[in-house]
Structures are given as C-alpha cells and as structure tokens.
Amino acid sequence: MATLEKDLRAALLSAATERPVQRWLEKNPLVLSAALGGIAYPNKVVSQFKFGSDYIADFVAMGAYSGALCVHLVELEPPGVRLFTKAGVPAKHLNTALSQVANWRTFVEKNRPAVLLELGKAFKQRELVFGRGTEPTDTTGMPLHDPRQQVTWHYHVAIGRRAGLSREELERRNALLLQTEVNVMTYDRLLELAKAVDDAGEAPYFQRPTRRMSLKEVWDGLKKQAKAGKPD
C-alpha cells in the first residue's frame, strides 16, 4: 500500500536535484508545515516565492498567533549531497545555501513592507494548504502587510541525509543554528513527519483548527471528515 513515507522515500532515492522533492512537497504541504519547529500548526504554505529581482524561496510557511505572525523561508538543496567537507567546513551546496539565506535576511530587513505585501498576494492567490482566499492575518484579524504587524522571520535549509553524517558532523550542523540563525535539517526529518501522518491516518481534507493542535489530532479530524463523505 502506498504511503506518504514510501512515496517521499522513493522521491529522495531517485532525486539527483531538489526538484522532485519540491514537486512532492507541493502536493503534500502539511508534511513541510509540520516539520518547521516553533510555528503554529497547521499553517499556510506557498511555493516558489519571488521577492526582489534576485531571490526565490522554494517554500514559505506562515503561522498566525494573537497579534503576531511567524514567517518561515525554506531553501531546498539536493538530498544526495554531503553537508561538510573532510576539513569540517560546509560543502559546496550547503555553503551556497547559507550564503543565499544570508542575502535573503538582508533583503527582508531592508525591504520588509514590500516583502510582506508580495507575500500576502502570494498566499491569497496560490496557497497550498487552504487554497486561494483572503490575505493572511493574525488571529486578531490584522493583515500581514499592516505596518503595526509583529512578524518574526525564520530561515531553513533542507539538504542531504542523516545517515551520511558522523557524530561530529551532526554537532557541526546543530551549531549552525547558533552561528548563522539558520535551521539546517536533513530530509530525514520530512520522512519522520510523513510517517507520523501515515500513522495518524491519511485523509484528503483539512479545516483550519481554532487552536494549536498536535499532528495526530489534525489527521484524526481529517479521517472523520473523509468518513463523512466530504467530496474531493
């Protein structure tokens, strides 16, 4: 029987670049949503967000709180590459990703109003979890682009596989969060979340909860909706 975990594992094994994984996550955005720590789950997700003339985030996820929003920008790198060289420094793909994310951060800090305006349009027009709709707001109803809106920004890089990392390399990867404020995760985290969704029970529908919910609660609710015969 096909499962999200098996499908994602197959995509990872056959992927020479990050593009097959990008397409898989666009079809299964809840897996990415759940993998981003420190964010109200579930949340809105959009892919291929262009900001400025030079930058494209593979995914952006947004969680709403009372009077605040958190925005997570995600860069995907190939699943088959190494994170570090033998000398213990970031290898080519990781080094490029970290440099790119640093440029994102600088651009966002200098152009916050314009980025939030474009991000609001992107979520309204092509959001992946809830579908098209209104511009995102926090839980008090304040829109994303409002100058008074409190927004926290988070940056993530997905790259490589955990099995290819030694204990020392795992420590180096974890240290990058403190050194660069970028969360570097392997695709194994996404596999673990795909398995959690499978274990909770697959269902094709989703309604935004009124409170923060665990992954199991969300998917238990989806099962009930599916049994009720809600159309696809």
Side-chain angles (χ1 to χ4, degrees):
M1 181 180 68
T3 66
L4 291 177
E5 182 191 13
K6 288 181 180 178
D7 287 347
L8 177 55
R9 192 177 297 278
L12 292 172
L13 290 174
S14 63
T17 70
E18 65 275 14
R19 292 308 159 205
V21 185
Q22 171 99 28
R23 291 192 293 270
W24 190 92
L25 288 170
E26 287 172 348
K27 295 178 181 178
N28 301 280
L30 282 176
V31 174
L32 178 66
S33 169
L36 302 178
I39 187 168
Y41 178 83
N43 52 81
K44 295 179 180 289
V45 179
V46 69
S47 69
Q48 294 293 293
F49 172 63
K50 183 176 181 179
F51 51 112
S53 58
D54 300 320
Y55 306 119
I56 299 177
D58 289 317
F59 288 96
V60 181
M62 189 200 72
Y65 299 91
S66 179
L69 294 164
C70 57
V71 176
H72 293 242
L73 284 77
V74 182
E75 167 70 11
L76 301 183
E77 292 293 330
V81 300
R82 292 192 61 82
L83 275 68
F84 300 97
T85 68
K86 292 181 179 179
V89 298
K92 178 181 177 181
H93 284 277
L94 178 55
N95 190 54
T96 299
L98 292 173
S99 177
Q100 179 168 272
V101 169
N103 291 335
W104 290 357
R105 190 194 308 275
T106 299
F107 185 89
V108 167
E109 290 173 352
K110 292 182 177 180
N111 302 276
R112 180 184 184 273
V115 173
L116 290 179
L117 185 61
E118 291 304 313
L119 192 55
K121 293 178 182 178
F123 278 119
K124 183 176 180 179
Q125 296 170 1
R126 50 190 179 87
E127 201 278 319
L128 296 172
V129 175
F130 302 97
R132 297 179 182 181
T134 58
E135 182 180 356
T137 67
D138 62 25
T139 57
T140 70
M142 184 182 293
L144 177 64
H145 70 271
D146 192 298
R148 299 167 297 169
Q149 184 63 261
Q150 296 295 315
V151 180
T152 58
W153 301 85
H154 307 267
Y155 300 88
H156 307 262
V157 174
I159 182 173
R161 300 297 301 275
R162 190 179 298 152
L165 297 175
S166 66
R167 173 60 62 182
E168 291 75 16
E169 288 173 327
L170 284 170
E171 292 174 353
R172 291 190 190 104
R173 184 204 63 177
N174 295 339
L176 287 172
L177 182 59
L178 294 176
Q179 297 167 356
T180 66
E181 296 185 339
V182 178
N183 173 42
V184 178
M185 61 181 173
T186 68
Y187 286 99
D188 293 271
R189 184 185 300 181
L190 296 176
L191 278 172
E192 290 168 354
L193 269 298
K195 183 178 185 304
V197 170
D198 290 332
D199 292 344
E202 290 187 63
Y205 295 99
F206 185 97
Q207 289 183 341
R208 184 165 190 159
T210 57
R211 62 179 177 83
R212 185 168 180 151
M213 300 175 72
S214 70
L215 187 64
K216 185 177 187 308
E217 285 179 301
V218 170
W219 286 93
D220 283 348
L222 293 179
K223 282 202 305 183
K224 292 179 181 178
Q225 291 180 37
K227 288 180 180 179
K230 188 174 179 179
D232 192 350

